[in-house]
Amino acid sequence: MFCGCPADYQAAEPNTRTCPVCLGLPGALPVINRRAVEYTVLTGLALNCRIPEFTKFDRKNYPYPDLMKGYQISQYDLPLALDGFLEMIGVERVHLEEDVAKLQHFPQGSYDDRGEGYSLMEVVSKPDMRSAEEARQYLTLLHSIVQYDGNFRCDANVSIRPVGSQILGTRTEVKNMNSFRAVYQALEYEVVRQREVIEDGGAVVQETRGWIEEREVTVSQRSKEYAHDYRYFPEPDLPPLRIGPERVAELAAELPEFAPQRSARFQADLALSGYDADLLAGSRSMANYFETTLTLRDAKEVANWMLGDLARLLNQDHREIDASPVTPQRLADLLALVADGTLSTSLAKTVLEEMYATGGEPADIVREQGLGQISDTGAIEAAVAEAIAANPKAVADYISGKDTAARFLMGQVMRLTKGQAQPELALRLVQEGLELQKTRGSLEP
């Protein structure tokens, strides 16, 4: 945030992403990361915030060992964005600071300071959420807005109050939640814990608690400080910032189309269901993939394949769609083979799995593995005759009026042809063969 150290600390060796600025050594002066400021203003605009023309950084005296210099450069009373909202939830502020280190102790006695000084933007919501489910939905929507760069994590403050009261009780802060599911579970647990404390005659203590995923409980980590405990004062090594309305307008022009607006457009322009549109617009990579493929094929067709078989393959590998071996062009080429009759839907699914496994082109896979549809009448007629001869009960059922028997025999034909018979042609030839059997039966004495 304030120096030139690389931000790839997660892949780096311990204690290798530091410099005199990170460590607060005498004579080392911080320099503000301009793009981090701009991203924070953009987030504030996306959250309908007011962008003050004057802002500053503050020094937060910080006694914990995950900041080696003993203080954190943050923002206290004049953040970059104020008084916004996201749907029905108020946003109190969006401010910028340097992150603390990922603290890990090693047998030799040293510790890991990777991550200290990394740019950290905090979005502070107002206490407008009344359930763990509301919190999960809010975070999901917020994530869809801020996911373009960096990592996303959540600390949650929880307090309860008697029914009918307007005054919230003492709050606790819950940390170490690494998924939306963890946030939901931790909040559910903490609400029950606080209620039991009060019902047993105790008092909720203001503290920081950690979520233990394996045990599904929160545990006390430390007492929660108040603002005066940190002894904030204006950061003496950094000048205040003035962000004029002209610059704010320029940044506003950079705002992308966010998930809710994109979903609404998919529904209005492409006649997709709200469910499908929300899934496709839920992440930037998914929406971009969809729109790229959309230039080549029909919207509903693309949506069905993306949200069905392709999503299944991606989920199996815990892989995002922008890392898929099946590119938008290859998916469109596969759908074109279905449209022109080269592949049935069933065969196309087989080809898709091979495309995903190898990154190959669909036409090459069809040619190399001989997976094209059989549309030769003679070849299918031979399979139909074999299926009819091998299934006299199904033939008798059809003759007695059970039309579903034709579908059963069509399935047998598809099995005999390894799924390659053209379905419509196969069904027609099965019906013709059965009608011939019915005629022969009526002529017998």
Side-chain angles (χ1 to χ4, degrees):
M1 178 61 216
F2 300 109
C3 68
C5 287
D8 61 344
Y9 66 91
Q10 291 180 326
E13 289 297 315
N15 306 313
T16 60
R17 294 297 184 261
T18 58
C19 71
V21 175
C22 294
L23 300 176
L25 299 183
L29 292 175
V31 177
I32 298 171
N33 182 331
R34 179 189 184 96
R35 194 53 181 158
V37 172
E38 292 173 341
Y39 276 140
T40 304
V41 172
L42 282 167
T43 302
L45 292 171
L47 297 176
N48 306 289
C49 289
R50 174 173 59 87
I51 309 299
E53 190 168 339
F54 181 88
T55 184
K56 66 180 176 66
F57 287 93
D58 300 280
R59 184 171 294 192
K60 175 182 179 181
N61 290 278
Y62 190 90
Y64 306 112
D66 50 9
L67 264 178
M68 290 67 190
K69 61 190 178 186
Y71 64 88
Q72 180 185 36
I73 301 177
S74 182
Q75 291 191 293
Y76 177 47
D77 56 338
L78 293 173
L80 281 160
L82 288 163
D83 303 326
F85 62 89
L86 180 60
E87 298 290 340
M88 303 299 291
I89 305 301
V91 173
E92 183 173 306
R93 57 190 278 149
V94 184
H95 66 259
L96 190 58
E97 63 187 24
E98 59 182 337
D99 202 358
V100 300
K102 178 181 181 182
L103 191 62
Q104 291 181 307
H105 294 270
F106 299 97
Q108 61 269 33
S110 64
Y111 54 80
D112 180 3
D113 65 358
R114 288 178 296 180
E116 178 184 3
Y118 191 69
S119 302
L120 176 64
M121 177 184 68
E122 285 199 358
V123 178
V124 182
S125 63
K126 294 183 178 179
D128 293 339
M129 286 163 270
R130 296 292 178 264
S131 69
E133 180 57 33
E134 283 187 16
R136 176 162 58 182
Q137 291 180 15
Y138 163 77
L139 286 172
T140 301
L141 185 55
L142 179 61
H143 181 259
S144 73
I145 291 174
V146 301
Q147 67 181 340
Y148 293 95
D149 291 277
N151 301 309
F152 186 85
R153 65 177 186 251
C154 168
D155 298 337
N157 290 301
V158 187
S159 58
I160 64 175
R161 61 186 175 184
V163 175
S165 172
Q166 297 300 311
I167 301 175
L168 291 166
T170 302
R171 63 186 172 88
T172 59
E173 182 180 36
V174 184
K175 292 179 175 286
N176 303 337
M177 300 172 292
N178 299 315
S179 66
F180 297 134
R181 177 175 175 271
V183 171
Y184 178 85
Q185 291 180 315
L187 296 185
E188 288 275 278
Y189 174 86
E190 187 60 19
V191 168
V192 172
R193 186 193 71 83
Q194 291 187 21
R195 183 182 295 117
E196 289 177 348
V197 167
I198 294 172
E199 290 175 348
D200 290 342
V204 175
V205 178
Q206 181 165 316
E207 62 181 342
T208 297
R209 300 180 67 86
W211 172 246
I212 308 300
E213 184 83 32
E214 298 77 18
R215 293 163 52 195
E216 296 188 353
V217 298
T218 65
V219 297
S220 180
Q221 293 183 324
R222 64 173 185 258
S223 62
K224 182 63 179 174
E225 297 81 1
Y226 295 87
H228 65 260
D229 294 320
Y230 292 118
R231 294 174 291 146
Y232 284 96
F233 60 88
E235 172 54 51
D237 291 334
L238 292 172
L241 291 179
R242 289 190 180 275
I243 305 174
E246 298 83 5
R247 182 57 184 144
V248 173
E250 291 172 359
L251 289 171
E254 294 183 19
L255 285 173
E257 183 183 34
F258 293 113
Q261 293 79 32
R262 220 166 185 178
S263 174
R265 177 166 60 83
F266 289 167
Q267 294 175 60
D269 296 350
L270 305 175
L272 294 181
S273 69
Y275 179 78
D276 286 354
D278 285 346
L279 288 176
L280 292 167
S283 74
R284 183 182 64 165
S285 56
M286 180 72 88
N288 288 347
Y289 187 106
F290 174 67
E291 296 213 74
T292 301
T293 314
L294 195 61
T295 62
L296 307 167
R297 302 300 308 172
D298 171 72
K300 188 61 179 175
E301 179 186 31
V302 173
N304 287 342
W305 280 85
M306 282 183 61
L307 299 176
D309 290 275
L310 182 56
R312 173 179 57 80
L313 295 170
L314 292 168
N315 290 338
Q316 286 175 357
D317 291 343
H318 306 288
R319 181 183 280 179
E320 295 296 325
I321 198 165
D322 51 4
S324 171
V326 182
T327 64
Q329 181 64 59
R330 287 173 181 157
L331 179 60
D333 291 344
L334 175 66
L335 301 185
L337 294 176
V338 176
D340 68 14
T342 301
L343 292 174
S344 65
T345 300
S346 175
L347 283 172
K349 293 181 178 182
T350 301
V351 174
L352 178 66
E353 293 192 358
E354 186 67 18
M355 291 166 61
Y356 185 84
T358 65
E361 299 291 340
D364 294 341
I365 293 170
V366 170
R367 183 178 60 256
E368 292 166 4
Q369 298 190 14
L371 292 175
Q373 272 194 144
I374 299 172
S375 55
D376 176 67
T377 302
I380 297 177
E381 282 179 337
V384 168
E386 183 177 347
I388 287 176
N391 295 276
K393 183 178 184 304
V395 174
D397 288 343
Y398 182 85
I399 292 173
S400 65
K402 296 181 180 178
D403 293 339
T404 55
R407 288 284 178 184
F408 168 79
L409 288 169
M410 176 192 165
Q412 299 305 302
V413 172
M414 299 304 291
R415 182 181 62 80
L416 292 168
T417 60
K418 298 180 180 178
Q420 292 180 255
Q422 190 178 65
E424 295 81 5
L425 179 58
L427 180 60
R428 179 171 64 82
L429 292 175
V430 164
Q431 290 171 331
E432 290 177 357
L434 289 171
E435 287 298 321
L436 182 60
Q437 292 292 320
K438 183 187 290 188
T439 301
R440 288 175 178 170
S442 64
L443 293 176
E444 290 179 359

